[in-house]
Amino acid sequence: MQLEARDIGFRYGDGPWLFQGVNLTLKPGEVVGIKGPSGQGKTTFCRILAGFETPIEGEVLLNGASLPLNGYHLVQMVLQHPEKAINPKWKMHKILNEGYQPDKALLELLGIEQEWLARWPNELSGGELQRFCVARALGPDTRFLIADEMTTMLDAITQAQIWQALIEIAKKREMGIIVVTHETRLMQRLCQRVLDFNDFSGDKNKK
């Protein structure tokens, strides 16, 4: 099982290329970082890997086959702003059970308290909401997780707690992780290798 991006290129309409020629292979148990300045298309590339966007060039393969575009996905993505990924009209227990029903052990590992399940999203902090987003992404079939600036908006203690739990889960499941962050120390601590988006800038790859 592996997630593979082959010669991915993307632009909006007839505009300039956001990036071109991006190649990446992620295997179970690997943690790979993606770095680069804001505006170079890191989030767009992650959305392509997760099946939310279609590349203009290249293809994404999951275990050698085209990425499925419906059903519960083996590739999950956690965004920087949890409030944008959560329905404000649903209580937390409904949000959490939208895709599957996580067990108590997972909730405890992520620091999710049982009393939070009966609350509305606006009754929780950003860190508490992000714990729910991580739990929701860790379904039993998830094999690859994309963390796009997942803990940037959180305090240092919450960041450490979430990453510690996630890495522990990833090791047990042999789950591959992509880490997008501007925090160099975090990337150095977590990642076995790093993809630098400066190498795929549209300005450097004009045809």
Side-chain angles (χ1 to χ4, degrees), residues 82-92 94-95 98 120-121 136:
E83 69 278 2
K84 294 182 179 180
I86 286 176
N87 189 335
K89 298 180 180 180
W90 288 2
K91 286 194 173 182
M92 298 311 301
K94 184 174 181 179
I95 290 170
E98 183 179 6
W120 297 98
R136 190 172 58 171

Side-chain angles (χ1 to χ4, degrees), residues 22-36:
V22 185
N23 291 281
L24 173 67
T25 299
L26 181 65
K27 298 180 180 179
E30 286 188 320
V31 181
V32 176
I34 297 180
K35 70 175 184 178

Side-chain angles (χ1 to χ4, degrees), residues 57-198:
E57 297 180 335
E59 61 181 343
V60 178
L61 301 176
L62 184 60
N63 210 26
S66 297
L67 195 68
L69 298 179
N70 49 42
Y72 187 83
H73 219 303
L74 298 180
V75 184
Q76 292 290 306
M77 185 172 175
V78 181
L79 306 174
Q80 178 178 354
H81 299 284
E83 69 278 2
K84 294 182 179 180
I86 286 176
N87 189 335
K89 298 180 180 180
W90 288 2
K91 286 194 173 182
M92 298 311 301
H93 66 83
K94 184 174 181 179
I95 290 170
L96 191 59
N97 296 330
E98 183 179 6
Y100 79 106
Q101 290 187 329
D103 57 42
K104 289 185 178 180
L106 175 62
L107 301 186
E108 290 176 359
L109 185 59
L110 288 171
I112 295 175
E113 299 180 13
Q114 287 296 312
E115 65 182 48
W116 297 352
L117 297 175
R119 295 184 183 179
W120 297 98
N122 63 5
E123 296 177 317
L124 297 177
S125 69
E128 291 164 353
L129 287 176
Q130 194 66 299
R131 294 171 194 267
F132 277 94
C133 289
V134 174
R136 190 172 58 171
L138 293 174
D141 296 325
T142 301
R143 293 294 175 266
F144 301 99
L145 184 73
I146 302 169
D148 184 14
E149 299 283 0
M150 183 180 73
T151 56
T152 300
M153 306 298 291
L154 309 180
D155 63 83
I157 293 176
T158 304
Q159 284 189 35
Q161 290 173 341
I162 290 178
W163 278 114
Q164 182 178 354
L166 184 56
I167 294 301
E168 182 177 337
I169 293 166
K171 286 180 179 179
K172 288 181 179 178
R173 296 189 183 183
E174 292 191 340
M175 184 174 64
I177 299 178
I178 290 176
V179 179
V180 182
T181 181
H182 291 286
E183 299 177 38
T184 303
R185 290 184 180 179
L186 178 66
M187 192 168 286
Q188 290 174 340
R189 179 162 57 89
L190 296 177
C191 303
Q192 285 123 9
R193 52 193 170 88
V194 176
L195 186 73
D196 189 345
F197 246 61
N198 284 306

